[in-house]
Amino acid sequence: MEESEHGTQGQDSIPEVGEDAVATVGQTGPIPALSEEEKEELHNELVKVEEEIQTLSQVLASKEKQVAEIKRKLGITPLNELKQNLSKGWQEVTTSTAYKRTSETLSQAGQKASAAFSSVGSAITRKLEDVRNTPTFKSFEEKVDTLKTKMSPTTSTSEHEDVPNSLPNAEPMVEQPEGTTVQSPELH
């Protein structure tokens, strides 16, 4: 890269944590004309900052290795860490005022819904009782009972009588001697 491409970055465009600083340099606008002395000074500052970044990266990598070794010695696995983080996160959620308010609201809503369903059930039961006590329903009920009585086979005293004989177009059954079977004709 040319030295002229490394202009100073404005204070209002400081990159956020994890943001690539190099990507934001090109977004600052036109580069002011610099004297040779200013360019040299900026170049020296650039080299110094890059060295600091390299040093910090090495220190961070070393510290990450140290943390991993300590966790290994303590028997802390990534799964254990995840469980602890989830447990801690859930505890924070359940102790929050928003969670408590929501829980109370849902509890009240559940109680109201339960009461509403109960009253609807009672109202339906009362309405069905009212319908059942109307003369129209009683007349219908009597007609159903009469029809049911007519459709039920009558109890006979003889063992040989069969229900089909009591039907108008039924063919009479032929008595078979005990111990013999009648084979039904095959349908083609």
Side-chain angles (χ1 to χ4, degrees), residues 42-163:
L42 286 175
H43 181 67
N44 290 338
E45 185 179 344
L46 175 64
V47 170
K48 182 181 172 186
V49 171
E50 286 177 341
E51 288 174 355
E52 288 176 358
I53 290 172
Q54 183 66 29
T55 303
L56 290 172
S57 294
Q58 291 171 350
V59 170
L60 179 60
S62 172
K63 293 294 182 182
E64 287 175 341
K65 286 179 184 177
Q66 186 179 2
V67 164
E69 183 63 24
I70 292 170
K71 285 181 179 179
R72 187 188 63 76
K73 288 178 180 178
L74 291 173
I76 299 173
T77 64
L79 182 60
N80 289 343
E81 283 185 283
L82 179 63
K83 286 179 184 178
Q84 287 174 350
N85 289 342
L86 289 175
S87 177
K88 183 179 178 185
W90 181 248
Q91 184 179 9
E92 289 173 0
V93 166
T94 57
T95 57
S96 71
T97 56
Y99 177 84
K100 289 178 182 177
R101 287 180 186 161
T102 303
S103 178
E104 290 170 4
T105 302
L106 289 175
S107 176
Q108 291 171 358
Q111 291 171 353
K112 288 179 182 179
S114 178
F117 287 136
S118 177
S119 68
V120 167
S122 298
I124 290 172
T125 302
R126 282 193 307 272
K127 195 65 174 174
L128 288 175
E129 284 298 320
D130 292 347
V131 168
R132 193 165 188 209
N133 292 330
T134 62
T136 306
F137 186 83
K138 288 189 181 215
S139 170
F140 176 74
E141 191 174 33
E142 288 172 5
K143 288 178 182 176
V144 169
D145 280 343
T146 304
L147 183 61
K148 186 173 130 183
T149 305
K150 287 181 180 178
M151 294 298 287
S152 312
T154 54
T155 320
S156 71
T157 54
S158 167
E159 291 181 19
H160 299 292
E161 270 189 44
D162 199 52
V163 175

